[in-house]
Amino acid sequence: MEKEDLVVNDQKITVTSETASIFKYCSTFADTEIPIKYSTEIMVEIFNLYFMKDLYDIYSEKVVSRSNLTRTCANVFFKTCQLLNCKCDFESENRHDGLMREIDGRIVLCAEWEIDESTILGEKGELNKLIESIKKHKTCDAFLFTYNIKIPDELLIKSIYDYWNAKMAGYENYRLFFVTAIFEESSPRSAKVLTGLRTFAVGCGFIDIWEDLI
């Protein structure tokens, strides 16, 4: 199928010739756009949907142990990579929990999933591991999933934002997708009652807050 370059909202994109023709026609009578979605953004959306579905399909109740949450993350990451026709690695490169690669081997997403926020920040934390891999490969975004938040989201996202912006100066085109599992406050530490997922996309100078998936 033939391709054609278009400039939409000052960005050059490549689409099929048929799509370009329809876009040009619709633009003659309406304000027309072709929304641009990054592949990593689509990946995170699919991961979140799979996670909520699989957790309840596999486990009969909403009370889920920490080990099963970790296993679900790995299973869902693998299935998401398969759906997007990408390769999936575990404990690879900088010993990331998961890596998403294009068929040609190019890394497009480095992933970590952690029990709680205590191991995220600092020079030996998961966030710094992700930043190091982004700077090394220059082709990937970062994904960080946590499911035992003991401090308010506002304070945690501020700490993550400040750390990311301090370390990523000069790397403005990369993003961190930070996903937190939402639990009932009364649930014990050893077992969690999941109620939904909350997602933040963090970059240099910005934070995008997605609508909660519940």
Side-chain angles (χ1 to χ4, degrees):
M1 189 172 291
E2 293 185 1
K3 301 283 188 176
E4 184 173 332
D5 291 335
L6 281 178
V7 177
V8 181
N9 294 333
D10 298 324
Q11 293 192 58
K12 183 179 178 181
I13 62 173
T14 302
V15 298
T16 64
S17 297
E18 290 83 352
T19 298
S21 177
I22 295 170
F23 172 81
K24 293 172 183 177
Y25 172 71
C26 292
S27 297
T28 63
F29 60 85
D31 185 9
T32 307
E33 293 186 7
I34 301 177
I36 300 173
K37 275 203 170 185
Y38 295 92
S39 59
T40 49
E41 183 177 323
I42 296 171
M43 184 274 171
V44 175
E45 289 178 344
I46 295 172
F47 177 96
N48 288 353
L49 291 169
Y50 263 148
F51 186 90
M52 293 295 291
K53 179 182 182 298
D54 281 18
L55 203 63
Y56 296 146
D57 283 351
I58 296 172
Y59 309 109
S60 59
E61 298 181 2
K62 292 185 178 181
V63 179
V64 186
S65 68
R66 291 163 60 180
S67 60
N68 284 337
L69 281 167
T70 300
R71 184 169 63 181
T72 299
C73 284
N75 290 343
V76 167
F77 191 83
F78 178 74
K79 288 172 61 176
T80 302
C81 291
Q82 279 190 315
L83 183 65
L84 295 175
N85 196 32
C86 289
K87 297 178 181 179
C88 177
D89 291 332
F90 295 109
E91 295 296 328
S92 185
E93 292 291 333
N94 199 10
R95 292 193 61 83
H96 290 301
D97 290 332
L99 286 177
M100 176 182 178
R101 299 178 186 267
E102 296 284 9
I103 296 300
D104 61 7
R106 180 172 56 94
I107 299 174
V108 293
L109 192 70
C110 299
E112 297 285 342
W113 38 87
E114 297 304 317
I115 296 296
D116 56 46
E117 77 287 345
S118 64
T119 63
I120 292 175
L121 301 174
E123 292 301 313
K124 295 183 179 180
E126 275 67 32
L127 185 54
N128 199 58
K129 284 175 58 179
L130 293 167
I131 289 172
E132 288 177 349
S133 291
I134 288 175
K135 290 181 176 180
K136 175 183 177 182
H137 297 286
K138 298 182 175 62
T139 59
C140 56
D141 283 330
F143 175 77
L144 179 59
F145 185 101
T146 62
Y147 39 80
N148 184 32
I149 302 303
K150 299 190 290 291
I151 60 177
D153 277 347
E154 291 88 348
L155 297 178
L156 183 58
I157 195 63
K158 177 65 164 59
S159 297
I160 289 174
Y161 173 84
D162 289 344
Y163 194 91
W164 181 270
N165 278 261
K167 292 285 188 176
M168 291 294 288
Y171 293 84
E172 286 77 13
N173 294 328
Y174 302 93
R175 293 174 298 167
L176 165 71
F177 294 96
F178 176 54
V179 181
T180 65
I182 306 168
F183 297 100
E184 291 182 3
E185 294 182 358
S186 59
S187 60
R189 180 179 175 83
S190 60
K192 298 297 177 184
V193 182
L194 181 72
T195 60
L197 298 177
R198 179 168 295 142
T199 303
F200 305 88
V202 179
C204 290
F206 74 87
I207 300 174
D208 292 337
I209 305 174
W210 296 9
E211 185 174 355
D212 288 351
L213 181 62
I214 56 177

